[in-house]
Amino acid sequence: LYTAGILTGSLVATLWLVLGFIILHQLAVRWLLMTRRRFAFEAALERRRAALESHEADQADSGGDIAAVEDPEIDLVALNEESRKLLNTAILFSGIIGMWLIWSPVLPAFGVLEDVSLWSRAETVDGVATLAPITLADLALALIVGIVTVVAARGLPAFVEFILLQRSSITAGARFTTTTLMRYVIVSIGLIVFFNILGGDWSQIQWLVAALGVGIGFGLQEIVANFISGLIILFERPIRVGDIVTVGNTSGVVSRINIRATTITNWERQELLVPNKEFITKELLNWSLSDPITRVSIPVGVAYGSDVPRALKLMQEAAEENSNVLKEPESILTFDGFGDNALNLTLRVYLPSIENRLRTIT
């Protein structure tokens, strides 16, 4: 009777555990679904508004313009799938832990894993050096930590980005920085815990650090420099995802910031991979770091004998009639000099962003 009562109580607790996890899982799935639908609806409204504005705008001279610069498109389906994978994995491991807590007192035979010693590690307890065994249970726990680390590194940043999307004040660059740093932290903590469970300490891995130092001296210094530069970029943020930059002779939008290199997509939709060290040690032109306003200069040549004041007035009217030109700062008109075949005039106007630069010049 006693045994039947203990087993029945464990079974009832298991059923309650399963029911609780089912309810929690379905509530989380419902929240993810509603959030995704809301984001998709808002994105559809934004696309419709942009399409109406584009239809109403004058497109007569729009050929060859720079593509509209927007925040990188958010893949809601991918974020939702990664979040669901993370949710399912979290529910699975929580269920395993719950089952273990319920049934481990009833099934002490599982304790046999603690009796299988694989290897030993040296420990110092109260100033006395002893050998502590690494058991099969420790190996199983290390494998679980490794699996959890991999799943968390893939799913948790996506889940956090899904949450950050609900705050309109957070830009795409800030979301990318947060998720990337979180991925680095998760992997670092997971590796530390993994090796610590398996008995790794400084005395055992110092040879690896020494070999890494030799490798850095013989050729890995570029890789390490690019990795450190990538961390500096994420913290200092001289460039962000979505910024318009010029590196050398290439101008484009920063689309990704990875461990070794940053990807810049130019106006021809070609992707340029630039090592992170280039952004730290060399000159970089960022068109939208703190102020997206940009100035364009339009040179005009008029024939000798022309009415220069009239030409300047027409240029001023052209600037005032263009909807892309800012009223403040004011446009600047100058007579620059006497050319070989024309009088050189220049109109300098300010634009709210680089998006309509070529269209405005046209």
Side-chain angles (χ1 to χ4, degrees):
L1 289 176
Y2 176 78
T3 302
I6 293 296
L7 293 177
T8 303
S10 300
L11 180 61
V12 171
T14 301
L15 293 176
W16 278 112
L17 180 68
V18 172
L19 178 62
F21 278 130
I22 290 176
I23 295 176
L24 181 63
H25 179 268
Q26 292 303 311
L27 288 175
V29 169
R30 172 71 175 175
W31 177 80
L32 288 174
L33 179 63
M34 297 303 296
T35 304
R36 174 187 167 187
R37 287 179 177 177
R38 180 164 59 85
F39 288 149
F41 180 71
E42 293 174 355
L45 291 180
E46 183 64 22
R47 288 195 298 270
R48 183 174 183 273
R49 183 188 62 79
L52 291 176
E53 291 180 355
S54 176
H55 180 72
E56 296 173 356
D58 183 14
Q59 302 293 333
D61 297 323
S62 62
D65 200 0
I66 294 176
V69 178
E70 302 174 351
D71 285 343
E73 185 177 354
I74 301 168
D75 193 345
L76 294 177
V77 176
L79 287 179
N80 186 69
E81 289 300 323
E82 291 295 336
S83 300
R84 283 202 178 195
K85 290 179 181 178
L86 176 66
L87 174 63
N88 294 335
T89 305
I91 292 293
L92 175 62
F93 279 99
S94 299
I96 293 175
I97 294 174
M99 290 289 189
W100 177 263
L101 294 177
I102 293 174
W103 290 97
S104 58
V106 181
L107 302 174
F110 285 110
V112 71
L113 297 178
E114 296 285 352
D115 299 331
V116 180
S117 179
L118 302 178
W119 62 83
S120 301
R121 65 174 176 181
E123 288 186 351
T124 302
V125 180
D126 297 331
V128 179
T130 59
L131 291 178
I134 302 299
T135 63
L136 191 59
D138 294 327
L139 180 60
L141 180 59
L143 291 177
I144 294 175
V145 169
I147 295 174
V148 171
T149 300
V150 173
V151 174
R154 295 183 58 183
L156 190 57
F159 182 73
V160 172
E161 184 174 2
F162 210 76
I163 295 177
L164 294 179
L165 282 174
Q166 302 182 63
R167 300 180 64 87
S168 58
S169 59
I170 300 179
T171 62
R175 292 197 303 270
F176 182 86
T177 300
T178 301
T179 55
T180 302
L181 292 177
M182 177 175 292
R183 187 173 291 109
Y184 290 164
V185 171
I186 291 173
V187 172
S188 300
I189 294 176
L191 289 176
I192 293 174
V193 175
F194 178 84
F195 286 111
N196 185 62
I197 293 175
L198 294 181
D201 54 26
W202 175 250
S203 63
Q204 296 175 336
I205 65 173
Q206 58 183 353
W207 62 269
L208 179 61
V209 176
L212 182 61
V214 174
I216 292 174
F218 279 100
L220 295 181
Q221 68 270 24
E222 291 294 327
I223 297 177
V224 175
N226 287 322
F227 174 73
I228 299 300
S229 298
L231 294 179
I232 293 175
I233 289 174
L234 291 175
F235 280 104
E236 187 178 330
R237 302 181 70 189
I239 58 172
R240 302 156 297 187
V241 173
D243 280 355
I244 303 170
V245 298
T246 297
V247 179
N249 297 324
T250 302
S251 296
V253 181
V254 177
S255 54
R256 288 189 300 274
I257 302 176
N258 294 325
I259 293 177
R260 187 192 67 82
T262 295
T263 303
I264 298 176
T265 305
N266 64 12
W267 311 130
E268 284 75 33
R269 299 298 181 182
Q270 299 168 332
E271 293 183 334
L272 175 67
L273 297 179
V274 182
N276 292 329
K277 189 179 71 172
E278 300 294 321
F279 297 103
I280 303 300
T281 60
K282 295 185 178 180
E283 293 182 351
L284 166 70
L285 178 59
N286 191 330
W287 294 77
S288 54
L289 178 60
S290 59
D291 187 1
I293 295 178
T294 182
R295 190 181 78 170
V296 297
S297 299
I298 305 173
V300 177
V302 297
Y304 278 91
S306 301
D307 186 351
V308 175
R310 175 63 176 165
L312 293 174
K313 182 178 180 181
L314 290 174
M315 294 169 66
Q316 180 67 37
E317 291 177 356
E320 293 175 352
E321 292 172 358
N322 194 297
S323 60
N324 295 326
V325 175
L326 294 175
K327 303 301 181 183
E328 292 291 338
E330 295 181 354
S331 303
I332 301 174
L333 282 164
T334 58
F335 173 78
D336 293 339
F338 300 91
D340 294 336
N341 301 306
L343 301 172
N344 298 326
L345 312 178
T346 302
L347 170 64
R348 296 174 176 86
V349 297
Y350 292 88
L351 308 181
S353 69
I354 196 177
E355 177 180 343
N356 297 314
R357 185 181 179 88
L358 293 183
R359 180 178 302 172
T360 305
I361 292 176
T362 301

